[in-house]
Amino acid sequence: MQIPVGVSARHVHLSQEHLTALFGAGARLHPKKPLSQPGQFASEEKVDVRGPRGTIQNVRVLGPVRPETQLEISKTDALKLGLQPPVRESGRLEQTPGITVIGPQGQVTLTQGVIVAKRHVHFSPEDARRYGVRDGQSLTLRTTGERGLIFENVTARVSPKYKLDFHLDTDEANAAGLQSGDEAEMIELEGLKAQPMPHFHGNEIIRDDSSPQHEKTTESVG
Amino acid sequence: MQIPVGVSARHVHLSQEHLTALFGAGARLHPKKPLSQPGQFASEEKVDVRGPRGTIQNVRVLGPVRPETQLEISKTDALKLGLQPPVRESGRLEQTPGITVIGPQGQVTLTQGVIVAKRHVHFSPEDARRYGVRDGQSLTLRTTGERGLIFENVTARVSPKYKLDFHLDTDEANAAGLQSGDEAEMIELEGLKAQPMPHFHGNEIIRDDSSPQHEKTTESVG
């Protein structure tokens, strides 16, 4: 069962109140491009976001406006901003960090609203039936290629407003070597074995000492 | 079988010739901190790297010097720099992109040498025997937690110079919610099933239409 992949870059959803504060009285969002989920769009509007450690410029505003302002970033972004947002489903904003959002006509300092989006699959009710999944179910998806990964704990989200799409953030997509439009396969894992073969002693072919090594450093990102 | 995780942030290895070109005649690397692999160290020295689309400052130089200069970055970094480096084992630099490296005393434009490091586990021969693996073998490692992932195609690298460590880049670590010092488990996958249960038709409990949605945008990173 193949599912198309949609990669979510960092973005912000604004409330009408915050849209007005950032873009001025009478401001509205100007659709630039439709998104995979029906009725949702990337707008022409962009904002900067400033955290305790750094600023990220030109963060895309998605529309339409929402009841609450919400910034969705990757962990890589979070390190740059100096924040430690939790991994959350969209809209679950309690006990999340705030941030300062800067628009052309003003700025707003949020007391909460920054999350790293939890990976999930959008299903229409028809697709959910076809794939045999229910809302809230935890799925396992496998991607292929040299950086292929198996993602456990992928939340199924079912709504008549949804269209089939496996949503990952940019860290997850880069880690897996995926782009929007690639596909993942829904699988079931059985018989995970924790041990290698007993009585297998490896072999004596070892790497040439002169070959280059790879090291780690604890330098932080950004 | 647990294996400690080592997260590799972006870094550069320099040849003696390039070290001299960047830091001046008689330059040497000053060890700042030992790395997990014996004899390897993070140096006090840093350089900037400039690609066709952007520059990343303060990239740590690792020591000791190598026969060839090599820059190891994440895919997130590659997007910022405007490069498309392949996923490679360290030292396999044929047909990789070049970049300009900028030091305090000069700059060098490489014709090749930029890679995204292929995930791998370092084993001493003793550990390799204990874990039942051989050099070059492809392993499967599983991490746990809310962003837990199963990494297939992890290369085993065996040498008397190595110490047990599972090396990931920052995209992979962020995607999996891992930090250096966490652990992964070596597993075997059996019975991967591609299909969900037949004759299961899901349920009719669907998400409340008023709940927030999550959208994708194709905005690029950086």
Side-chain angles (χ1 to χ4, degrees):
Chain A
M1 305 291 270
Q2 298 290 324
I3 298 179
V5 168
V7 182
S8 296
R10 71 177 76 95
H11 62 268
V12 66
H13 303 279
L14 296 177
S15 66
Q16 183 60 53
E17 179 194 345
H18 290 159
L19 176 63
T20 301
L22 297 169
F23 289 89
R28 65 179 189 84
L29 294 174
H30 298 77
K32 174 187 168 76
K33 197 164 73 168
L35 300 174
S36 67
Q37 298 307 306
Q40 307 294 310
F41 60 88
S43 78
E44 299 284 354
E45 282 71 21
K46 295 177 180 179
V47 295
D48 295 347
V49 294
R50 187 175 67 225
R53 192 177 164 197
T55 296
I56 297 178
Q57 298 180 308
N58 297 321
V59 176
R60 184 71 62 186
V61 180
L62 302 192
V65 293
R66 292 270 184 97
E68 280 192 288
T69 292
Q70 172 176 308
L71 175 67
E72 296 181 43
I73 58 176
S74 69
K75 290 211 178 201
T76 299
D77 293 336
L79 282 163
K80 184 170 180 183
L81 295 169
L83 297 176
Q84 295 193 296
V87 177
R88 286 283 175 84
E89 272 198 65
S90 184
R92 305 276 169 87
L93 304 183
E94 67 284 358
Q95 293 185 295
T96 59
I99 195 158
T100 297
V101 184
I102 303 159
Q105 300 293 327
Q107 66 179 52
V108 169
T109 296
L110 308 176
T111 55
Q112 66 173 32
V114 183
I115 65 170
V116 173
K118 184 178 190 317
R119 58 205 186 202
H120 57 275
V121 179
H122 291 274
F123 292 92
S124 68
E126 295 68 32
D127 283 327
R129 260 175 237 115
R130 196 156 61 88
Y131 282 72
V133 303
R134 59 186 188 284
D135 187 56
Q137 186 176 345
S138 189
L139 308 176
T140 301
L141 278 84
R142 184 194 211 182
T143 66
T144 55
E146 66 184 346
R147 292 200 129 188
L149 290 173
I150 298 175
F151 295 84
E152 299 177 276
N153 311 323
V154 179
T155 308
R157 296 170 60 181
V158 183
S159 163
K161 296 175 102 170
Y162 293 163
K163 190 180 152 195
L164 190 65
D165 219 16
F166 173 30
H167 280 189
L168 296 172
D169 75 8
T170 48
D171 285 338
E172 293 169 316
N174 286 332
L178 293 172
Q179 297 185 313
S180 289
D182 289 342
E183 292 196 324
E185 185 174 32
M186 205 172 91
I187 63 169
E188 290 180 16
L189 290 178
E190 290 188 348
L192 279 181
K193 283 181 60 182
Q195 298 291 331
M197 286 176 287
H199 312 303
F200 180 76
H201 297 284
N203 64 20
E204 302 305 315
I205 302 165
I206 58 175
R207 187 164 289 265
D208 178 354
D209 276 12
S210 67
S211 68
Q213 296 182 34
H214 177 95
E215 299 81 15
K216 75 174 176 184
T217 162
T218 56
E219 276 294 283
S220 63
V221 169
Chain B
M1 304 292 269
Q2 297 291 324
I3 298 179
V5 169
V7 182
S8 295
R10 70 177 76 97
H11 62 268
V12 66
H13 303 279
L14 296 177
S15 66
Q16 184 60 54
E17 178 194 346
H18 290 158
L19 177 63
T20 301
L22 297 169
F23 289 90
R28 66 177 189 86
L29 294 175
H30 297 78
K32 174 187 167 76
K33 197 165 74 170
L35 299 174
S36 67
Q37 297 308 306
Q40 308 294 310
F41 59 89
S43 78
E44 298 284 354
E45 282 71 21
K46 293 177 182 180
V47 295
D48 295 347
V49 293
R50 187 176 65 225
R53 190 175 165 199
T55 297
I56 296 178
Q57 298 182 307
N58 297 320
V59 176
R60 182 71 63 186
V61 180
L62 301 192
V65 294
R66 292 269 183 98
E68 281 191 288
T69 293
Q70 170 177 309
L71 175 66
E72 297 181 42
I73 58 175
S74 68
K75 291 210 178 201
T76 299
D77 293 336
L79 283 163
K80 184 171 180 183
L81 294 169
L83 297 176
Q84 294 192 298
V87 177
R88 285 282 175 85
E89 271 198 66
S90 185
R92 306 277 169 87
L93 304 183
E94 69 283 359
Q95 294 185 293
T96 58
I99 194 158
T100 297
V101 183
I102 303 160
Q105 300 293 327
Q107 67 180 51
V108 169
T109 296
L110 308 176
T111 55
Q112 65 173 33
V114 183
I115 64 170
V116 173
K118 183 177 190 319
R119 57 203 186 203
H120 57 275
V121 179
H122 290 274
F123 292 92
S124 68
E126 295 69 31
D127 283 327
R129 259 175 237 116
R130 197 155 60 87
Y131 283 71
V133 303
R134 60 187 188 281
D135 187 57
Q137 186 176 346
S138 189
L139 309 176
T140 301
L141 277 84
R142 184 194 211 183
T143 66
T144 54
E146 65 185 346
R147 291 199 130 189
L149 290 174
I150 297 174
F151 296 84
E152 299 178 275
N153 312 321
V154 180
T155 307
R157 296 171 59 182
V158 183
S159 164
K161 296 175 104 171
Y162 291 164
K163 190 181 153 194
L164 190 65
D165 220 17
F166 173 31
H167 280 188
L168 296 173
D169 76 6
T170 48
D171 284 338
E172 293 169 315
N174 287 331
L178 292 172
Q179 296 185 313
S180 288
D182 288 344
E183 293 196 324
E185 186 174 31
M186 206 172 92
I187 64 168
E188 291 180 14
L189 290 178
E190 291 189 346
L192 280 181
K193 283 181 61 181
Q195 298 291 331
M197 286 176 284
H199 311 305
F200 179 75
H201 297 284
N203 64 20
E204 302 305 315
I205 301 166
I206 55 174
R207 188 165 289 266
D208 178 353
D209 276 10
S210 67
S211 69
Q213 296 183 36
H214 177 95
E215 301 80 15
K216 75 174 176 185
T217 161
T218 56
E219 276 294 283
S220 62
V221 170

